[in-house]
Amino acid sequence: MTVTIKNIPGQLPAFWDRDVIFFANMQSIFYENRGGLERLNRLVTGVETYGGRLIPIINLVFKGNNNLLVLEKPPDQSLISYFEKDLGLHLPDITVLSHSIYDNLLNQCDTLINDETSSTLTMIHQHNANWVDGFVSDNILINLAKALKKPTICSMEGSKRGNNKFLLHNILLEKGFPVFDTIPASSPDEIPTCIAMLRNRGYKKAAVKAQIGASGIGITSLSTIPGEEVSVPEHFFFEGPCMVQGWIDETVKNIRKMGSPSIQMFLDDSSLSLYDITEQILNADSIHEGNLSPPPYFSKKDQVYEELFRQAAAAGSWLHEQGYRGTASVDFLVVEHRGNVEVRVCEINARITGATYPSVIARHFLPHDAWLMRNIRFGIPLRDTNLLKILEQAGYLFHPDMHEGVLPINFNLNEDGCVQKGQFLCLGKNLNSCLLMIEKIESLLSFSWDYDRD
């Protein structure tokens, strides 16, 4: 089937006219790879609280308005009140199912889903939404859907193949698109040989990528200098060979890095909508800390813009062929090489991503304007500090009748109910106003904070 491509940057697509039981199974994003999950929980604070980002967008993406969102941790109640009363958003039903209980459903779905002693499982069982979906479609989600006698939005094969970086690399190479210089490695013992080969090709650094990764887990950069330590965890090889790639930045002769854009996508049964173009905010280790839109280094209809959408259409069409359905993003690297601009696909993330939720909210309230999303971690978890009240009193808290403002999307709470970090969306007419807003908020808050990985 030929998929219909819709280029609609700056406006939301016609999302699902369906209702859903959506499992915020963030800790399933590595599927059965336990090593990857353990590393995620070590490096990313409050992973189990990230499902809260979905609260304001589920009923925008699934328009049946009879949706149930299953979180891993209870959300912040002040934000729920803000979404409903101040922003006028219609929210899904919400229940909480810990990851440990979700994990135990793998081999006991039929028994546990009918367990009347669990109010959460009873609510899931009795909810009359017609579809099941999640961050990813893993074995547990598929078995749950069967026990509930409901179809899933996306198959497990479509979800898992869609997130496989090696499969995407191979198809782009086969179709003649520019790709990264790549050497497969089947085990950690083969990495030094791959590094030496890339060194001989002029690279000062290399990236080792697992076939499936997320949030900076499953990718590591290594120096190609002889004698440097080479250490790659075994879990990188869980799905098969890793990719060892030449790292392209200013350490390569005649290269100037321009940026790391990302195009937001939505795939339904017959079409691929490319609905927003963002710039990834990456830290020194190239790990995601936020997004902004539009990217500042090119404009609509110039060479870079056209090439990004051309390659996004090809990558998204491949993703559609795998059977993936839902929101996704395709990430790029843009560099200038000897005066010519080069665009390369880095990866596809076949799920609701770190850019999906700010993009959907921003385009819902202010289509075609600018936005900036930052992940902020507080030096000391905030107790008895009403962040919403502080922003409201200063005139920055966003309301639907405003042309700019700050919209807190999610608060990551610790075990004591204190806010340890949060995701904050700045909305404005242009990017400069969004950047200025962040600076003003920094001076407004009397406590220490820093940007954090997402």
Side-chain angles (χ1 to χ4, degrees):
M1 181 182 71
T2 301
V3 63
T4 301
I5 309 296
K6 300 177 181 179
N7 289 347
I8 52 170
Q11 68 184 77
L12 293 181
F15 283 125
W16 296 117
D17 187 19
R18 297 173 178 175
D19 47 30
V20 69
I21 300 175
F22 193 100
F23 289 85
N25 57 348
M26 178 74 179
Q27 296 185 74
S28 295
I29 56 177
F30 301 107
Y31 302 90
E32 294 81 22
N33 188 346
R34 296 289 179 179
L37 175 58
E38 289 171 5
R39 188 169 180 83
L40 177 72
N41 283 317
R42 283 200 308 271
L43 296 180
V44 180
T45 303
V47 171
E48 68 282 0
T49 65
Y50 269 52
R53 303 176 300 179
L54 300 170
I55 294 172
I57 72 165
I58 285 295
N59 281 16
L60 298 176
V61 176
F62 298 93
K63 297 183 178 179
N65 283 336
N66 181 35
N67 302 315
L68 173 63
L69 176 60
V70 185
L71 301 177
E72 295 180 328
K73 283 281 187 177
D76 182 87
Q77 292 300 314
S78 64
L79 275 182
I80 289 180
S81 177
Y82 168 63
F83 295 149
E84 289 184 314
K85 296 178 181 178
D86 296 276
L87 297 183
L89 293 172
H90 178 60
L91 302 185
D93 297 329
I94 297 172
T95 191
V96 177
L97 185 72
S98 70
H99 177 70
S100 60
I101 294 177
Y102 176 86
D103 216 21
N104 285 332
L105 291 174
L106 179 59
N107 300 312
Q108 307 174 59
C109 273
D110 287 308
T111 302
L112 292 181
I113 206 67
N114 291 291
D115 181 3
E116 296 181 359
T117 64
S118 167
S119 59
T120 294
L121 292 173
T122 298
M123 185 177 185
I124 293 170
H125 189 208
Q126 294 180 350
H127 201 276
N128 57 1
N130 294 312
W131 295 81
V132 172
D133 199 16
F135 269 117
V136 296
S137 295
D138 64 342
N139 268 323
I140 300 172
L141 188 82
I142 299 300
N143 288 344
L144 267 170
K146 289 178 180 177
L148 294 169
K149 297 180 173 59
K150 301 178 190 288
T152 57
I153 297 286
C154 182
S155 67
M156 180 173 170
E157 181 182 42
S159 175
K160 194 169 184 180
R161 287 179 63 85
N163 280 302
N164 191 299
K165 298 171 175 56
F166 202 15
L167 294 179
L168 176 64
H169 168 83
N170 289 339
I171 197 67
L172 292 174
L173 179 64
E174 179 184 310
K175 291 182 177 295
F177 285 95
V179 295
F180 293 91
D181 208 347
T182 301
I183 305 168
S186 297
S187 70
D189 294 339
E190 295 182 10
I191 299 291
T193 300
C194 299
I195 296 290
M197 292 172 68
L198 291 172
R199 179 173 63 248
N200 292 335
R201 298 176 191 179
Y203 293 101
K204 299 292 195 305
K205 294 191 292 185
V208 181
K209 293 182 181 178
Q211 293 189 30
I212 293 178
S215 299
I217 312 301
I219 180 171
T220 188
S221 62
L222 300 171
S223 169
T224 63
I225 297 173
E228 293 284 324
E229 181 181 357
V230 175
S231 178
V232 178
E234 283 285 352
H235 70 78
F236 272 50
F237 300 88
F238 184 83
E239 300 291 344
C242 283
M243 295 179 289
V244 185
Q245 298 182 324
W247 188 279
I248 301 177
D249 61 10
E250 284 78 3
T251 61
V252 179
K253 189 176 181 181
N254 298 316
I255 288 288
R256 181 178 72 88
K257 181 179 177 181
M258 296 175 65
S260 302
S262 177
I263 290 183
Q264 307 310 306
M265 307 188 296
F266 172 68
L267 300 87
D268 63 18
D269 292 331
S270 61
S271 66
L272 164 67
S273 297
L274 309 176
Y275 68 88
D276 207 357
I277 183 164
T278 78
E279 175 70 11
Q280 299 179 84
I281 301 172
L282 306 176
N283 66 15
D285 296 318
S286 294
I287 294 172
H288 180 262
E289 289 187 344
N291 287 79
L292 57 84
S293 180
Y297 49 90
F298 60 83
S299 58
K300 192 173 183 179
K301 300 305 180 186
D302 71 10
Q303 177 190 357
V304 178
Y305 184 96
E306 295 286 356
E307 182 62 13
L308 285 167
F309 276 86
R310 184 180 79 92
Q311 293 193 29
S317 296
W318 169 83
L319 181 59
H320 196 275
E321 290 171 5
Q322 307 316 300
Y324 178 77
R325 302 292 182 266
T327 63
S329 67
V330 55
D331 299 339
F332 298 87
L333 175 68
V334 178
V335 299
E336 185 180 68
H337 182 212
R338 298 183 184 274
N340 296 316
V341 176
E342 297 179 356
V343 175
R344 288 176 177 81
V345 171
C346 296
E347 64 184 20
I348 276 184
N349 292 305
R351 56 183 180 269
I352 288 178
T353 73
T356 304
Y357 56 93
S359 176
V360 169
I361 295 171
R363 298 312 175 204
H364 172 71
F365 286 110
L366 296 175
H368 303 291
D369 285 356
W371 60 266
L372 167 70
M373 195 285 294
R374 295 308 310 254
N375 197 41
I376 293 175
R377 179 169 182 165
F378 302 104
I380 299 174
L382 305 181
R383 185 190 299 272
D384 300 327
T385 300
N386 192 329
L387 287 169
L388 296 178
K389 186 176 181 180
I390 293 172
L391 293 171
E392 182 74 272
Q393 290 177 341
Y396 287 116
L397 187 66
F398 182 80
H399 295 270
D401 59 345
M402 296 169 64
H403 296 294
E404 64 177 39
V406 179
L407 195 161
I409 297 175
N410 184 44
F411 292 153
N412 305 101
L413 307 179
N414 65 14
E415 295 299 329
D416 297 324
C418 299
V419 181
Q420 52 190 348
K421 64 180 179 180
Q423 292 79 55
F424 295 82
L425 174 63
C426 297
L427 302 167
K429 297 301 292 183
N430 55 61
L431 198 52
N432 285 337
S433 66
C434 295
L435 293 168
L436 184 60
M437 227 177 294
I438 280 286
E439 291 180 12
K440 289 181 178 178
I441 292 170
E442 184 172 4
S443 62
L444 181 69
L445 300 179
S446 59
F447 34 81
S448 64
W449 56 273
D450 204 353
Y451 298 122
D452 195 20
R453 64 193 298 164
D454 197 17

